Amino acid sequence: MKNIVYLDNSSTTKPCETAVKRINEALTLCWGNPSSLHLLGFEAEAKVKEVRQALAGALACRADEIYFNSCGTEGNNTALLGAAHAMHRRGNRIVTTAVEHPSVLETVKRLESEGFEAVYIKPDKFGRISEDAIANAIDEKTILVSIMLVNNESGAVMPVTAARRAIKEKASPALLHCDAVQAFGKIPVNVSELGADMLTLSAHKIHGPKGIGAIYIKKGIHINPLLTGGGQENGLRSGTESVPLIMGLGGALAEMPDPKTQLKAQKELLSYTCERLLGTGLVRINSGPDALPYILNISVPGYRSETLLHFLENQNIFVSSGSACSKGRGSYVLREMGLSREIIDSALRISFSRFNTKDDADALATALVSAAAHLRRVK
Ligand code: PLP
């Protein structure tokens, strides 16, 4: 594809060169089954081990605390179902937020239908969750707390460490799970500093391939496996490991810059983008001032998200509609933030990666002005 402006990196990212190279290497040279006892198996196993170690290094944990799986959705399902079922004798309360990804919210709903009680903490107008609200929600009957590190629509950064403090203060048996799918690679994610017992991530958000993710589970914590069978991944996730995708994840990790250094450059790009977009006189910014600078939620009042998305697409600019509509009701995250119908229906999510430049922001601002000139306003 030629000259595209890709600003939908929170949906997925383009696999980087090293990821593609390593996938190719796995498919052509290293296609053994890591469980096989012969040379081809050992070679594949060694590659898997290398990536496990690299990932453990990135999260500041032990290699045997990393379990590969198929995606962020699987990681969230594994953590929530596995922990709730393993902990049900100690209590039945689950604490989460109203703005988690559907792979958490739908799983918590499923647990509610099994008899667990769930508390969904509400965000403020910028999508932020307060430390007090987290502390108030956790009690001695709470067995599981699941809080994302960065919200995928608003970019709000959540105070996960406050949950760890509250668990301790309330002497709660709760396990703390963190969905770090949108945070990993963009801000430093150190599992012990966060105080997480379990943490989910996904390769396709960091310029790795789709279909591969990982979950961190703190040593000594036992949760029920989602998949049973041959006992791979230390019994937590049966199924032959996808060596090509694991190696692709390894390639993405190898190319991943230091998140802290990159964050500085990204803050500059974000403020330039905001300036350009606000300069059009068409845009309202929905993300908070302290949101992750890789995610910018905006609205263009008077124009429907989907219409704008397709207008931009025709100019080779790719963004996400903030209202991934379910039954025309618009984004539940923006609704929970208390935004009006008009703002929700005209929302767009702009999401960056390290490969975006000021030219992309210029192209977007110019295209939005052109959209306003060509599209009919909704009443
Ligand atoms: N959690 C968050 C916050 C996400 O943004 C996503 C995907 O967009 C997921 C989980 C699911 O990840 P995957 O697409 O790997 O299943």
Side-chain angles (χ1 to χ4, degrees):
M1 219 190 273
K2 48 159 188 146
N3 280 343
I4 66 163
V5 174
Y6 187 71
L7 288 164
D8 195 14
N9 290 281
S10 288
S11 293
T12 198
T13 53
K14 183 181 174 192
C16 66
E17 269 178 36
T18 315
V20 174
K21 205 172 119 223
R22 301 233 178 131
I23 292 168
N24 196 35
E25 187 189 326
L27 289 170
T28 50
L29 300 172
C30 191
W31 43 264
N33 184 331
S35 297
S36 292
L37 294 178
H38 50 66
L39 182 67
L40 293 185
F42 288 138
E43 279 174 2
E45 192 191 15
K47 294 290 184 190
V48 171
K49 192 174 167 196
E50 246 174 57
V51 181
R52 203 185 300 282
Q53 263 160 353
L55 191 50
L59 295 173
C61 67
R62 300 161 50 119
D64 60 359
E65 293 173 317
I66 300 285
Y67 302 83
F68 292 116
N69 55 24
S70 68
C71 59
T73 298
E74 185 186 328
N76 287 341
N77 272 261
T78 302
L80 298 177
L81 297 174
H85 292 152
M87 297 283 288
H88 77 280
R89 283 201 184 82
R90 303 189 66 184
N92 83 331
R93 187 175 165 100
I94 300 169
V95 171
T96 189
T97 80
V99 291
E100 297 294 313
H101 187 265
S103 55
V104 167
L105 289 177
E106 292 302 315
T107 309
V108 174
K109 274 195 217 150
R110 183 171 155 187
L111 288 165
E112 277 187 290
S113 75
E114 292 178 18
F116 288 92
E117 175 210 345
V119 178
Y120 300 90
I121 304 171
K122 299 266 181 201
D124 71 4
K125 64 177 180 175
F126 290 133
R128 299 175 300 202
I129 298 290
S130 83
E131 295 195 5
D132 285 351
I134 293 176
N136 291 336
I138 295 171
D139 66 10
E140 73 284 355
K141 285 269 176 257
T142 307
I143 49 145
L144 178 61
V145 179
S146 184
I147 299 187
M148 65 199 330
L149 190 46
V150 170
N151 182 268
N152 47 303
E153 287 197 47
S154 66
V157 183
M158 308 300 192
V160 176
T161 49
R164 168 50 61 204
R165 275 198 303 279
I167 288 170
K168 199 169 166 213
E169 278 164 23
K170 305 270 174 80
S172 158
L175 294 179
L176 176 58
H177 167 250
C178 176
D179 173 352
V181 167
Q182 294 291 345
F184 182 62
K186 303 193 183 98
I187 50 175
V189 177
N190 178 314
V191 286
S192 42
E193 278 174 17
L194 279 175
D197 296 309
M198 301 175 285
L199 182 135
T200 303
L201 55 90
S202 178
H204 74 101
K205 312 290 187 180
I206 58 157
H207 297 286
K210 288 163 201 49
I212 183 74
I215 181 167
Y216 154 84
I217 303 176
K218 192 174 174 181
K219 189 98 188 136
I221 287 175
H222 297 286
I223 66 167
N224 295 4
L226 209 57
L227 299 185
T228 44
Q232 288 89 343
E233 295 303 286
N234 226 352
L236 186 84
R237 207 276 186 179
S238 287
T240 302
E241 295 89 343
S242 174
V243 182
L245 297 181
I246 291 172
M247 284 177 69
L249 165 58
L253 289 173
E255 264 200 40
M256 198 165 88
D258 175 17
K260 261 195 201 149
T261 319
Q262 199 57 37
L263 201 55
K264 211 167 148 241
Q266 184 54 37
K267 274 185 186 154
E268 270 176 49
L269 179 56
L270 182 83
S271 81
Y272 180 79
T273 308
C274 289
E275 214 175 278
R276 289 292 276 116
L277 294 181
L278 291 172
T280 64
L282 297 164
V283 168
R284 173 199 200 273
I285 296 200
N286 302 324
S287 296
D290 44 8
L292 183 81
Y294 288 89
I295 297 178
L296 179 64
N297 200 298
I298 63 167
S299 288
V300 190
Y303 302 91
R304 289 192 71 85
S305 312
E306 283 73 14
T307 315
L308 287 167
L309 183 145
H310 293 305
F311 184 91
L312 294 173
E313 176 193 23
N314 281 333
Q315 319 228 349
N316 275 335
I317 300 173
F318 298 89
V319 299
S320 202
S321 84
S323 56
C325 291
S326 58
K327 297 176 194 133
R329 292 174 67 220
S331 153
Y332 66 91
V333 173
L334 300 185
R335 220 174 39 242
E336 290 291 347
M337 286 159 63
L339 302 185
S340 70
R341 183 73 198 238
E342 189 197 13
I343 298 300
I344 295 173
D345 286 350
S346 61
L348 293 175
R349 180 186 66 182
I350 317 298
S351 51
F352 302 85
S353 89
R354 63 180 184 270
F355 297 117
N356 288 112
T357 64
K358 285 183 177 174
D359 288 346
D360 297 337
D362 290 339
L364 177 65
T366 307
L368 285 178
V369 172
S370 173
H374 288 91
L375 299 174
R376 198 180 307 148
R377 281 180 68 90
V378 285
K379 287 175 198 101

